Amino acid sequence: MKKKMVAVILAAAMAVSLCACGGKPVQESAGAESGRSQKESSQEKNSEESSGQESSGGESSEAPGERTAESAATYPIVETPITVKGLVVGRDTSVRSDRLVWNAVSEITGINIQWECIDADALATYLAGGEWPDFIHYSLDSAMINDYGVVGGRFVNYLDYLEYMPNLVQTFEDYPLVRGAVTQINGEIYSLPGVEVSATTSSARPYVRTDVLEDAGLSLDKIKTVDDFYDALVTLKEKNGEPGFIPFLENDESYWGPMLFAAFGTLTNMNFDDDGNGKVIFNRTSEQMKQYCLYMNKLYAEGLIHQEYLTLDGAVRFDRAQSGKVAFIGGGEGNSLQAADFADEEFHLDCMAPLTSEFDDTQEILGKSIYFANGGFFMNAESNYIVEMCKMFDIMYATEEVVEGSGLLGQSFCYGILGKDWDYGPEGSGVYVFHCPEKYDGAFTTYQYSEVIWDGAGRQDALAGLVTETVGNSRARQLGFVNNVIPYQSDLYFAVSLLKFTDEEQRVLDNKLADITTYYKEMEGKFITGVTDIESSWDEYCSTLEKMGVQDVIDVYQASYDRWNAQ
């Protein structure tokens, strides 16, 4: 089965504290104007249409690879430098009020960005005031997008300017779900997506301490089936006197729930899903879900799962992960383990590959190497520099340096300048290297968000399949994903979080979905812990969900999904 590694990351939260922030300036002539305004671009578009040229959503009639020289960006983008204003929201500016990558963008494009920074709680008032900058580098919520975009018409529709963004067009072709992720209910696109494919873009995160297994005479590569997993848990309890498994089941798209659920049938999504033919189904009432609950109940009844797994706080979970007695742990614990938590101070941390069972002999798990949401970069429809900004933002989707030696490509808008902030390792090494200034003591993430970028944006897939060169927790987990998780992710992913709804559809979801979700999660806990008998209560459970209106929710998802597939 062909597997994918597709991921989209949200271009979210930016700068904090109400202040005026200026990027590194580009020399600008006083009073000079450059480039085409929105009005001029619209006149060109109308002229093309009146001359008989086909136009669909503003795209050129040429194939993406055949863009005209006039449409493709050359550098600098403008002959005479210009200044545009950009807003960032909720990011700390205590280190610096600009960002190094965007300064580099200004240097090669001739477009200076004057940054303004506000607190997140000031955003609603700011937008209502009407004095907008040229663009907003922030992920607005659906209500704001509807009010100011779908209804208000205050945002630029990127579909009218795709001819100036060949790298974005290519990204839409390479990752088809990306376009749907940013398309609104009216078919227009007001924001730009973030696309991430890396060693950690996976859904299930089944972390394992391999040293705990080995101390009990077990080997991770010998655990292939749910029966093997059961036997391993029995051995761990006999040796250590306590359960070797503390599952984290609150998140249905991560950690151990979807991992184990997938072993009991062909489904990989625990909730709403595509049946493979475009029909929306609800897997919580499936026979596969029943078999999963029966198996988990068996583990719990025999004391192979920590008896308080539902109520343990993070501190207790982490304490047991550090103890050297628990082998199968959750994400918060796995992310936090340090070298000192291992007897030899080396990381014995991995991920478990998908299991099989008598119900399904295929190793496959939920295909969420995908996370989609509307990104940022909402452009003001009244800006005079729409075309210029489109060409500038298109750099975020470039797969190669846009100017030789600049180090600027899509990856730069997450990790910085190629050759300065990060590098590929030697050819064939399978690693990448981050370069962190000494004052940050190796904390690249701190450097990244303090000085390099406002937040992740653009096309970030240059590190696909690579792991960090730096020995530590991140490298250990990345190797686990690359070897044991990502290769088994399903091609099919039902992007329910990206679906767009009409007002009436949203009312149905608001009135029913929360109660439905609360009920089935509560019943999952009762089934696993034995508070409610699965065999005698399963039909009643399914019937209750029907009475609560689950079919109405399915119908809403189906209508939205049909629109999605028709794009």
Side-chain angles (χ1 to χ4, degrees):
M1 179 181 295
K2 180 182 178 182
K3 305 292 176 184
K4 293 181 181 177
M5 291 198 310
V6 182
V8 177
I9 192 170
L10 174 64
M14 313 255 135
V16 81
S17 76
L18 186 57
C19 61
C21 304
K24 187 174 181 180
V26 175
Q27 194 65 36
E28 182 176 3
S29 301
E33 294 185 1
S34 175
R36 287 164 285 187
S37 68
Q38 178 193 18
K39 181 184 294 184
E40 290 169 331
S41 298
S42 299
Q43 289 173 343
E44 290 176 1
K45 182 169 179 282
N46 292 336
S47 174
E48 290 173 354
E49 292 173 348
S50 64
S51 66
Q53 179 175 338
E54 289 187 15
S55 177
S56 174
E59 290 189 48
S60 167
S61 61
E62 300 161 325
E66 301 173 338
R67 301 295 177 190
T68 64
E70 290 77 13
S71 298
T74 55
Y75 301 96
I77 289 174
V78 293
E79 294 181 3
T80 303
I82 61 174
T83 293
V84 298
K85 295 181 178 180
L87 177 72
V88 290
V89 182
R91 272 295 183 193
D92 182 14
T93 58
S94 59
V95 176
R96 61 186 303 148
S97 58
D98 59 353
R99 292 297 184 268
L100 295 173
V101 163
W102 288 102
N103 292 347
V105 169
S106 293
E107 290 174 2
I108 70 163
T109 63
I111 302 173
N112 181 59
I113 303 175
Q114 181 180 340
W115 295 103
E116 182 178 3
C117 316
I118 64 172
D119 290 327
D121 57 11
L123 179 60
T125 301
Y126 183 99
L127 293 177
E131 294 296 323
W132 287 10
D134 293 282
F135 70 94
I136 300 171
H137 181 8
Y138 185 69
S139 182
L140 303 180
D141 64 34
S142 58
M144 289 177 175
I145 295 173
N146 183 71
D147 291 346
Y148 294 109
V150 177
V151 176
R154 296 289 305 276
F155 298 134
V156 169
N157 176 16
Y158 278 99
L159 293 180
D160 292 336
Y161 298 92
L162 289 182
E163 64 186 292
Y164 304 106
M165 306 186 77
N167 292 320
L168 176 62
V169 171
Q170 185 62 54
T171 299
F172 284 160
E173 293 182 0
D174 293 342
Y175 301 101
L177 285 178
V178 172
R179 182 164 179 158
V182 290
T183 300
Q184 298 303 314
I185 189 71
N186 61 354
E188 297 190 344
I189 295 177
Y190 306 124
S191 60
L192 295 176
V195 184
E196 183 183 13
V197 184
S198 68
T200 57
T201 51
S202 64
S203 176
R205 293 173 177 264
Y207 292 133
V208 183
R209 281 196 59 159
T210 56
D211 58 331
V212 177
L213 289 182
E214 291 165 2
D215 286 346
L218 300 169
S219 174
L220 182 59
D221 61 8
K222 300 296 184 182
I223 303 175
K224 303 290 188 182
T225 70
V226 294
D227 291 335
D228 295 337
F229 187 55
Y230 168 82
D231 292 340
L233 292 178
V234 170
T235 299
L236 287 168
K237 185 179 180 182
E238 290 174 348
K239 178 184 184 299
N240 297 323
E242 65 176 87
F245 183 26
I246 304 180
F248 182 80
L249 303 179
E250 291 181 21
N251 189 330
D252 293 335
E253 292 200 356
S254 196
Y255 309 119
W256 286 96
M259 172 69 180
L260 293 174
F261 169 76
F264 293 92
T266 59
L267 305 172
T268 58
N269 193 321
M270 301 181 80
N271 297 319
F272 297 92
D273 203 0
D274 180 335
D275 71 346
N277 297 301
K279 180 182 178 182
V280 178
I281 56 176
F282 182 54
N283 293 339
R284 278 280 167 181
T285 55
S286 66
E287 179 63 22
Q288 181 172 332
M289 178 60 69
K290 182 179 179 181
Q291 294 302 324
Y292 159 76
C293 288
L294 285 167
Y295 177 78
M296 294 296 285
N297 171 248
K298 177 183 178 181
L299 299 185
Y300 186 89
E302 297 186 23
L304 305 180
I305 294 177
H306 196 294
Q307 300 296 283
E308 305 299 327
Y309 82 92
L310 282 169
T311 57
L312 289 178
D313 63 24
V316 175
R317 286 176 173 273
F318 187 52
D319 174 75
R320 301 324 301 147
Q322 292 176 300
S323 69
K325 296 182 178 182
V326 178
F328 305 100
I329 59 180
E333 304 89 82
N335 293 344
S336 302
L337 288 172
Q338 301 298 316
D341 297 320
F342 299 87
D344 59 3
E345 297 194 349
E346 294 186 6
F347 283 89
H348 301 277
L349 187 62
D350 208 331
C351 291
M352 189 166 72
L355 302 176
T356 61
S357 72
E358 62 180 297
F359 303 97
D360 183 25
D361 61 1
T362 301
Q363 287 182 283
E364 186 175 34
I365 52 177
L366 182 64
K368 190 170 174 268
S369 55
I370 306 168
Y371 176 75
F372 291 109
N374 289 309
F377 301 95
F378 294 84
M379 285 197 294
N380 185 348
E382 296 182 358
S383 173
N384 290 323
Y385 300 114
I386 293 173
V387 169
E388 291 82 357
M389 287 191 294
C390 283
K391 291 182 176 182
M392 176 175 68
F393 293 153
D394 197 49
I395 298 172
M396 296 190 296
Y397 301 93
T399 56
E400 298 178 352
E401 286 181 301
V402 292
V403 173
E404 186 176 357
S406 67
L408 281 175
L409 68 165
Q411 195 75 11
S412 300
F413 297 86
C414 182
Y415 295 123
I417 304 299
L418 175 61
K420 176 184 176 184
D421 299 313
W422 66 280
D423 275 302
Y424 297 108
E427 186 173 356
S429 66
V431 304
Y432 62 84
V433 183
F434 286 152
H435 305 301
C436 187
E438 288 185 9
K439 66 178 180 179
Y440 288 98
D441 194 27
F444 184 82
T445 300
T446 303
Y447 168 60
Q448 178 185 16
Y449 291 106
S450 297
E451 299 195 43
V452 180
I453 63 171
W454 291 113
D455 218 323
R459 180 165 178 162
Q460 305 158 27
D461 59 357
L463 303 187
L466 305 180
V467 302
T468 178
E469 181 186 61
T470 304
V471 174
N473 182 294
S474 293
R475 177 179 169 85
R477 289 185 297 108
Q478 287 174 354
L479 286 168
F481 292 131
V482 168
N483 295 327
N484 294 331
V485 177
I486 291 175
Y488 302 102
Q489 293 184 123
S490 172
D491 288 333
L492 182 64
Y493 177 67
F494 181 55
V496 65
S497 64
L498 303 179
L499 297 179
K500 313 299 190 301
F501 306 103
T502 65
D503 290 343
E504 180 58 34
E505 290 168 347
Q506 189 61 55
R507 277 192 288 272
V508 172
L509 298 181
D510 291 344
N511 290 332
K512 299 184 177 183
L513 185 57
D515 288 342
I516 288 171
T517 302
T518 298
Y519 176 71
Y520 70 61
K521 288 301 294 182
E522 177 185 341
M523 291 305 296
E524 178 189 27
K526 288 182 176 180
F527 287 146
I528 292 174
T529 59
V531 172
T532 300
D533 181 69
I534 301 172
E535 292 289 7
S536 62
S537 303
W538 187 259
D539 289 344
E540 181 183 355
Y541 158 74
C542 295
S543 177
T544 300
L545 284 167
E546 286 296 323
K547 292 175 182 177
M548 294 179 76
V550 71
Q551 186 59 51
D552 295 332
V553 174
I554 293 173
D555 291 343
V556 165
Y557 283 158
Q558 187 69 64
S560 179
Y561 195 45
D562 288 344
R563 292 192 297 267
W564 172 287
N565 288 325
Q567 290 176 159

